[in-house]
């Protein structure tokens, strides 16, 4: 049974920082992709950042240079360090896990198999 449990959300002022954590257990994949997604009210869920089992990362253009995704394999924990937060970053943040494709690409959003319950991030101006 795979479980993903996020923590670290909260309310900060514009320009502030937060670090999200996602504790993972029961992982079935030899090669995997872990990701952070977010969803603002009335908006579609969008990808924020990904990291795979080889350590390769990718970021949405809107967060490049401000957010950093990382993982601690010893602790089975995924992180998202968020700096220079803006009101537009306000959303529910979810971590997700999926199997890395044969082409070593992360799957599209719909193909991530496991999701956490989400943690709210609110940035005020």
């Amino acid at each position: 049974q795979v479980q993903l449990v996020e923590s670290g959300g909260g309310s900060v002022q514009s320009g502030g920082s937060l670090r999200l954590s996602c504790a993972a257990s029961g992982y079935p994949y030899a090669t995997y992709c872990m990701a952070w997604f977010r969803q603002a009210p009335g908006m579609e869920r969008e990808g924020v950042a990904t990291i795979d089992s080889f350590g390769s990362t990718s970021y949405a253009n809107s967060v490049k240079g401000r957010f950093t995704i990382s993982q601690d394999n010893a602790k089975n924990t995924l992180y998202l360090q968020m700096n220079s937060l803006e009101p537009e970053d306000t959303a529910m943040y979810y971590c997700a896990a999926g199997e890395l494709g044969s082409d070593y690409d992360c799957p599209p959003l719909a193909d991530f198999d496991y999701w956490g319950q989400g943690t709210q991030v609110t940035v005020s101006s």
Side-chain angles (χ1 to χ4, degrees), residues 84-96:
S84 302
L85 282 161
E86 304 167 352
E88 292 74 21
D89 296 316
T90 295
M92 185 72 80
Y93 283 70
Y94 300 90
C95 70

Side-chain angles (χ1 to χ4, degrees), residues 32-116:
Y32 60 82
C33 180
M34 298 289 294
W36 288 99
F37 292 88
R38 67 186 182 185
Q39 188 167 20
M43 305 291 285
E44 291 188 354
R45 193 169 295 189
E46 63 175 358
V48 175
T50 65
I51 187 167
D52 65 25
S53 47
F54 300 100
S56 295
T57 60
S58 68
Y59 296 91
N61 287 334
S62 59
V63 306
K64 277 182 182 176
R66 300 188 299 123
F67 291 10
T68 303
I69 190 171
S70 62
Q71 57 188 350
D72 185 332
N73 292 329
K75 296 181 178 179
N76 292 325
T77 301
L78 177 73
Y79 300 101
L80 184 69
Q81 178 66 45
M82 305 185 295
N83 298 328
S84 302
L85 282 161
E86 304 167 352
E88 292 74 21
D89 296 316
T90 295
M92 185 72 80
Y93 283 70
Y94 300 90
C95 70
E99 189 171 15
L100 200 63
S102 58
D103 54 359
Y104 299 105
D105 284 341
C106 285
L109 183 153
D111 290 343
F112 276 82
D113 299 309
Y114 303 100
W115 293 81

Side-chain angles (χ1 to χ4, degrees), residues 8-11 18 20 39-41 89-93 118-123:
S11 297
L18 285 172
L20 306 183
Q39 188 167 20
D89 296 316
T90 295
M92 185 72 80
Y93 283 70
T119 187
Q120 178 68 37
V121 172
T122 303
V123 185

